[in-house]
């Protein structure tokens, strides 16, 4: 085997190892993604945001420093 062919073969091997490692990592990340994430965003309480209710306003009123 010539030296050029040996270097090329080694490069192909290292390229294959690198690509397969990246693919395995990507597959592991996709597999760990929670399935219920989309369902949580549909929760009505999660989309309402902050609301100042009567008891919150009462708390703010009692903590005022005059």
């Amino acid at each position: 085997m010539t030296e050029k062919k040996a270097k090329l073969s080694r490069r192909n091997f290292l390229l294959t190892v690198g690509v397969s490692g990246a693919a395995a990592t990507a597959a592991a990340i996709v597999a760990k993604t929670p399935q219920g994430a989309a369902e949580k965003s549909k929760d009505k309480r999660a989309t309402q945001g902050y609301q100042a209710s009567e008891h919150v306003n009462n708390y703010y009123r009692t903590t005022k420093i005059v």
Side-chain angles (χ1 to χ4, degrees), residues 36-44 46-47:
E39 294 174 10
K40 287 183 182 179
S41 66
K42 293 180 183 178
D43 188 13
K44 191 173 185 179
T47 60

Side-chain angles (χ1 to χ4, degrees), residues 22-42:
T25 303
I29 290 172
V30 169
K32 288 184 181 181
T33 304
Q35 297 288 334
E39 294 174 10
K40 287 183 182 179
S41 66
K42 293 180 183 178

Side-chain angles (χ1 to χ4, degrees), residues 35-59:
Q35 297 288 334
E39 294 174 10
K40 287 183 182 179
S41 66
K42 293 180 183 178
D43 188 13
K44 191 173 185 179
R45 291 176 288 166
T47 60
Q48 288 181 345
Y50 177 80
Q51 293 181 356
S53 61
E54 183 180 346
H55 73 277
V56 172
N57 290 333
N58 187 34
Y59 172 77

